Amino acid sequence: MQTIVINNRKGGVGKTMLATHLAWFLAEDDARVLFIDLDAQGNGSRTLAAAGRGGRSSDLFDPDAKIELTGAPGLTVLESDETLDIVQLQDVQQMVKAFNAFPPLFDYCVIDTPPTWGALNFAALTVADHLVAPIEMKDYALDGVEQLLKTIQAAEQSGRGGRKINFLGLLPSRFNSHSPREKENVAEIVRTIGTSMVFNGLLAQRDGYEEAVSQGVPVWTLKKRAAMVAGQEMRFVLSQIRDRMDGLPAKEIV
């Protein structure tokens, strides 16, 4: 099972929208995908309401809880609940133990994380194979990148015994294509940290994404012309994520 964490220490960058679409995308062709919602707000769980249920994600932190998963083809959700609000750092090792005890039932696991740093984010990074960081291209974006890289390093040292996370890269998200300032910020980040750490593609600010999430369906299934453009954009980005997970070279934007 490959575990992909969607994380950024800032809210409002489209983490849940990306995480749910990645889960839908990976579950195509009957792949077995586990979605773990570690955000107590539960937006990912509500968006994926039509998916199979495997229990509560908070049970991962409870040594007395039993999680029974079947690994059915398609998408299975460990859903959010209010108990996540009381998870502490001392509970992380229990989560790691429970996660590592999962039988090999799934091909992929996608973990959505809360917008503030704490035990839940630390737990997610501790079990991650891969990490994707959606980021807005507002001013001070570079400051957020520096913070994120320090967070990754802290998790590697404190939670993983030095074992590296495969950081797939930064993904410009909720991008305003009409803003010269945001375009310059993208260029500045690429100049500063290099193309290997920034995705060849981005997610623009589009109504189609909001509509898809509200309906609980992938944006590429909507029939409106604007949603079709968003669907092409999203699927290109998701294919980039999957290729980077598999160590394949970047595709060119068509």
Side-chain angles (χ1 to χ4, degrees):
M1 179 174 74
Q2 296 194 66
T3 300
I4 313 101
V5 171
I6 310 300
N7 182 257
N8 191 317
R9 294 181 63 163
K10 185 178 182 300
V13 296
K15 288 193 300 296
T16 297
M17 186 268 292
L18 175 62
T20 52
H21 276 83
L22 178 59
W24 279 316
F25 180 78
L26 293 175
E28 292 179 349
D29 301 321
D30 289 331
R32 300 164 302 168
V33 179
L34 178 64
F35 184 93
I36 301 179
D37 189 355
L38 290 184
D39 188 346
Q41 296 179 60
N43 293 333
S45 299
R46 286 189 290 273
T47 299
L48 300 176
R53 259 33 192 180
R56 305 187 310 171
S57 61
S58 60
D59 286 344
L60 290 166
F61 300 89
D62 182 356
D64 298 321
K66 292 184 178 180
I67 301 176
E68 298 181 357
L69 299 170
T70 62
L75 190 53
T76 300
V77 176
L78 287 182
E79 59 188 321
S80 166
D81 71 281
E82 65 278 2
T83 311
L84 289 171
D85 283 329
I86 60 174
V87 169
Q88 304 294 320
L89 277 174
Q90 59 263 31
D91 302 319
V92 170
Q93 285 308 308
Q94 170 57 36
M95 184 272 192
V96 174
K97 180 180 177 181
F99 185 88
N100 289 336
F102 283 168
L105 297 173
F106 295 94
D107 303 302
Y108 301 100
C109 174
V110 178
I111 303 181
D112 191 20
T113 57
T116 54
W117 179 249
L120 297 168
N121 284 283
F122 186 71
L125 292 182
T126 300
V127 302
D129 294 315
H130 313 285
L131 172 65
V132 178
I135 182 171
E136 283 191 302
M137 290 295 104
K138 308 294 185 187
D139 288 343
Y140 308 114
L142 279 173
D143 294 338
V145 172
E146 184 178 355
Q147 241 184 2
L148 174 67
L149 296 178
K150 288 180 179 178
T151 297
I152 295 170
Q153 186 177 41
E156 290 172 341
Q157 293 175 350
S158 301
R160 300 168 61 92
R163 185 167 54 92
K164 295 295 185 181
I165 297 169
N166 184 21
F167 180 44
L168 300 181
L170 301 167
L171 174 64
S173 181
R174 302 177 67 89
F175 177 73
N176 181 356
S177 60
H178 301 294
S179 169
R181 186 70 174 177
E182 292 199 21
K183 292 178 181 178
E184 175 55 31
N185 287 342
V186 171
E188 176 64 17
I189 282 183
V190 171
R191 285 194 297 268
T192 302
I193 66 175
T195 56
S196 65
M197 292 183 65
V198 182
F199 276 91
N200 180 26
L202 53 80
L203 299 178
Q205 180 73 47
R206 300 183 189 276
D207 292 340
Y209 293 131
E210 300 297 330
E211 183 177 352
V213 167
S214 69
Q215 294 187 29
V217 297
V219 68
W220 54 81
T221 65
L222 300 178
K223 302 304 181 184
K224 295 180 180 178
R225 175 175 295 182
M228 293 174 66
V229 172
Q232 292 175 341
E233 176 182 81
M234 174 63 79
R235 289 188 69 88
F236 178 81
V237 164
L238 297 177
S239 70
Q240 290 281 303
I241 292 175
R242 185 171 59 190
D243 286 352
R244 289 195 177 198
M245 287 166 51
D246 295 336
L248 299 176
K251 295 184 177 74
E252 292 299 320
I253 298 176
V254 178

